Structure formats: C-alpha cells, structure tokens
Amino acid sequence: MIFALSPDKISSVRSKISENLFQKPRGTRDILPADQKYWRFFQAMGEKILDGLGFSRIDTPLFEDKRIFERGIGASTDIVEKEIYLLESVADDEDPQFALRPEGTAGVARAYIENGMSSWPQPVRLYYFGPMYRRERPQRGRYREHRQVGVEIIGDASAKSDYLVIMAGYEILKNIGLVDLTVSLNSIGCSDCRPKYLKKLKNYYANYLDKVCEDCRRRYDKNPLRLLDCKNDLCIKIKAKAPQILDKLCDKCRDHFQETLEYLDDFGIKFNLDPTLVRGLDYYTRTVFEIFLNSDKERKIALCGGGRYDDLISTLGGAKTPAVGWGMGADRVVEELKSSDFKPPKSRGVEVVILELGATARKVCKQIFNAFEKADINVFYIPAKDSLRGQLKMASKLNADYAIIVGQKEALSGSVIVRDLRSGTQEDLSIKKAVETIKTKYDSDNRNCSNFS
Ligand code: HAM
C-alpha cells in the first residue's frame, strides 16, 4: 500500500519528530556496536606498539583549568580563541574556570609538573587515549568531539626522541594496514632564531596587507607564523614567495633537524620537507610534522600531527624541560580502515553457552561455568526454565560457537553434551574433556584475540 502525504502533513510530522526526538550534539558521533571492532583493533595495536617502545599509559582529566590551554596552546590560536568549550561553574567562586580539553599535551605537561615526574628517570615516555573537544565547523574528519591516541617523550632534547615518536606513529599506522604514508616535516626554530625569522616574514607580508584575507591581517599582528598556514587561494600564492624558516635556523636548530632527518632516512621513513608547515598550537619549537596517506593528495586530513615543545613545561610553571610528541586522530584512522578492504579481527563475544535441563542439572552448571571460565573461554550461563529448543534459539542469537547441554543423566555421570552450533554435530564428553577439546580447537584456530576480548 502506498501512502501519499500532503506537504503540510509532512512538515507537521517533521516538526513533531524534531520536538520529541533528542539528537546528539552537532559534530559528535555515536560509535555503534558494528564499528567497535575497528576501534578495539586500533587501540589494541596502538597500545601493543607503544608498550613495546617503552611508553606507559597516563590518563588526565577531560577538563582542566582553562589557563593551562591559554598559556600552553596560546591565547591567540584558533583552538583557544574560537573553539574551546568553557564549563559553567556552579556557585563555587573558588574554582578556576574550567574548559574541556581540546588536546592532550597541555594536560600531560601539567601532570608531569604536578606529579614531580622530573624526579623520575628521564626521559618519561607517556601515551594516552581519549576524547578531545573543539568547537570546529563539523565536516568529514573534523568533529567537535574526536578521539586521539597521543604520545609524549618528556625530558630529552636529542633528535633521537624526535625520531622515536615519528617512528612510533608510523609503525602504528603501518601495522594496522595504512602503509602508503608520507611524513611532512618542518623545523620552526627556537626562541633564538624564530623571532629573527618572524621579523623577515613580517617585512615581506607588509607589502601584501591590502591583499591578504582578514584572518591573515589579524595573524600579521598577533601570530605571524600562522600566516604560513592560510588556505585562502590568494594567500597561498603570496606565501609561496615568503622567506622560508629552514633558511633562517640557528646552527643548533639546523643540526638538530638534520640529525632527525638522518634517523628517519636510516629507518626508511619517507618524508617530505614542507616549509609552510607550522601547526595550529603555539607551544611548538624546532621539529613539527604531520603524517598523511599518499592517497590524500591535497594533504587535507592529517592522521597524526605533532612536534617538539621545549618551552611548554616552563611556560606552565615547571623547570625548563625539553619534550616532543604527537596526537593521532583515531576517528580519522578508523574511517580510513573502514573504507579500506581491511577486515578487523572478530571480537570473541560469547563462545560457549551452557544449557540446562532440569533441577539436577542446575546443581552442576555453576561448576561447569567455572571450568570454562578458568580456561579463558567466554562462557554464558543463565539458569533457565525454557525448553531445549528455546535455549538453543537463545544460544544462536548470542552467536555462540558451542552449546554445552546438561540434562539429568549428564549431571549424574559428570559428563556434558558438546554441540557444535556451526556444524550441528555433537558428542558426549566428561566436563574436563569438553573444556580441553574446545580450548584446543580455539588454540589451533589461532584464536589469539586476547587483545580484543
Ligand atoms: P593536533 O594536530 O591538533 O595536535 O591533533 C592531532 C591529531 O588529531 C590530528 O592530526 C588529527 O588527526 C586529529 N584531530 C584534530 N582535530 C580533530 C577534529 N576536530 N576531528 C577529528 N580529528 C581531529 C594536537 O592535538 C597535539 N596535542 C599533538 C601533540 C602531542 N603535539 C605534541 N604532542
């Protein structure tokens, strides 16, 4: 039957729907069960590689004193000026104003100082995984709530650490199957050489102030390095002829950058130098980089971005401490995985379901449950009153591999019926033998999903 609704009726139905249905905030996403396997795989691979490279996990709050972001990221950056979510304090005037974290580095730097990590063996290698909040204009790959894996090496000024973090990001992406990568790199100097470069940059732009976009006119006064980041067509033409910072680095910064590139070369990491790469956070010194898929020809969606930040810890009140790190956009990485032909390992889910028939059986089911659980087999058991047919239906809805059927006869003889739910075959075995048989089958199927269970 076909229903034809008049335009009036449609608009009244629509407004009823919007009145009654809550929607997620713009720029946020629900990650539904079907997608969780990609996320789990990515996180498990990330953790495995980072653990193996000597990084330890840290979790910091989702909100911090907003001054940490103002001082750390920079008050005149887009993130702090336009994108930060401030929390309204409820009646407690003692509290500073809090903001949802737009990124992870400033919070980790605060935690390094507050927890006295400078007295730990240096450098301290940390990683985190969690959501970040930026009030950006939502579009593909750009969300108001996004998730990052991030790493930070704090307490080492040498190019070895620049290399190690870049290599770690590259390895994670390669190991999940995103192999066709390029690292874009630049050095933006230090507090010695950068001011001299900025003077030259401003001299150059002074001739074009009537031509560049409004944002660039603001950047010229407030944050001239960001002139190099403008995506406006005319501004792109103007910046193509701007003086390049790589030509103006001091000797120490030049040597440091050269050494970083040599390490990358030795490890076979493909990179290209991008003299306009400056990044959107003010804490960077020396090396800055982003990692892209080569299929992203316009370099629009960085999967990973980071750099060195030798002044951040002292800006936040700690001793001068060199550091370097990156953040990797998990939402972007998962989207790439989903659109590739990669098949993530299936999560284990329910493997075995115990089906009981009658009161005598119930007495031994808990013991059977314990035996499977001890053997690290995912086992599901709910004392049931349904018929065998009903319970088998439930087992197949749970997508289990095996049903362990226990009736009165089995309960009295210490055995069970093991039914393979995929093939429909079944056999009588002792409880011990049933556990061993299923365990051996899983092991020989290489069910090595411990990371994803
Ligand atoms: P970031 O470049 O702002 O750096 O973010 C890191 C990565 O997070 C980006 O390369 C991108 O993949 C992802 N990302 C950023 N914003 C969004 C968004 N709105 N939606 C989806 N993905 C996004 C930082 O956050 C620095 N804390 C990285 C760092 C760590 N530098 C040193 N240590």
Side-chain angles (χ1 to χ4, degrees), residues 212-224:
V212 294
C213 69
E214 205 175 306
D215 270 349
C216 278
R217 272 195 286 278
R218 262 186 332 114
R219 287 174 184 140
Y220 179 86
D221 289 322
K222 283 185 158 181
N223 199 343

Side-chain angles (χ1 to χ4, degrees), residues 22 31 43 134 170 235 278 283 304 389 426 432 449:
F22 288 113
I31 302 171
Q43 186 170 349
R134 297 181 190 178
Y170 198 81
C235 298
V278 290
Y283 49 60
C304 178
R389 220 174 112 90
Q426 58 182 50
K432 190 163 169 251
C449 293

Side-chain angles (χ1 to χ4, degrees), residues 282-327:
D282 280 355
Y283 49 60
Y284 290 116
T285 48
R286 295 191 166 171
T287 317
V288 287
F289 61 89
E290 288 179 339
I291 306 182
F292 294 91
L293 279 172
N294 285 329
S295 54
D296 178 6
K297 298 257 181 295
E298 288 169 57
R299 299 279 183 262
K300 279 202 168 136
I301 309 253
L303 297 180
C304 178
R308 180 161 277 288
Y309 50 96
D310 292 346
D311 299 331
L312 176 62
I313 308 260
S314 53
T315 307
L316 294 180
K320 187 155 171 55
T321 313
V324 60
W326 50 248

Side-chain angles (χ1 to χ4, degrees), residues 20-90:
N20 294 317
L21 269 188
F22 288 113
Q23 294 184 333
K24 58 188 173 302
R26 254 185 97 213
T28 67
R29 296 174 326 135
D30 297 318
I31 302 171
L32 299 176
D35 280 350
Q36 293 290 346
K37 52 184 178 292
Y38 294 95
W39 287 86
R40 259 201 279 193
F41 171 71
F42 172 52
Q43 186 170 349
M45 186 60 81
E47 288 186 347
K48 180 167 168 273
I49 288 172
L50 295 173
D51 281 347
L53 289 172
F55 288 83
S56 308
R57 175 148 180 164
I58 183 168
D59 289 296
T60 61
L62 295 196
F63 61 97
E64 299 268 3
D65 185 325
K66 78 162 181 173
R67 290 170 297 181
I68 289 174
F69 303 122
E70 284 169 351
R71 278 190 215 161
I73 300 170
S76 65
T77 55
D78 282 355
I79 294 181
V80 171
E81 244 183 14
K82 303 183 193 160
E83 298 171 359
I84 208 144
Y85 283 100
L86 295 174
L87 300 180
E88 209 170 296
S89 264
V90 185

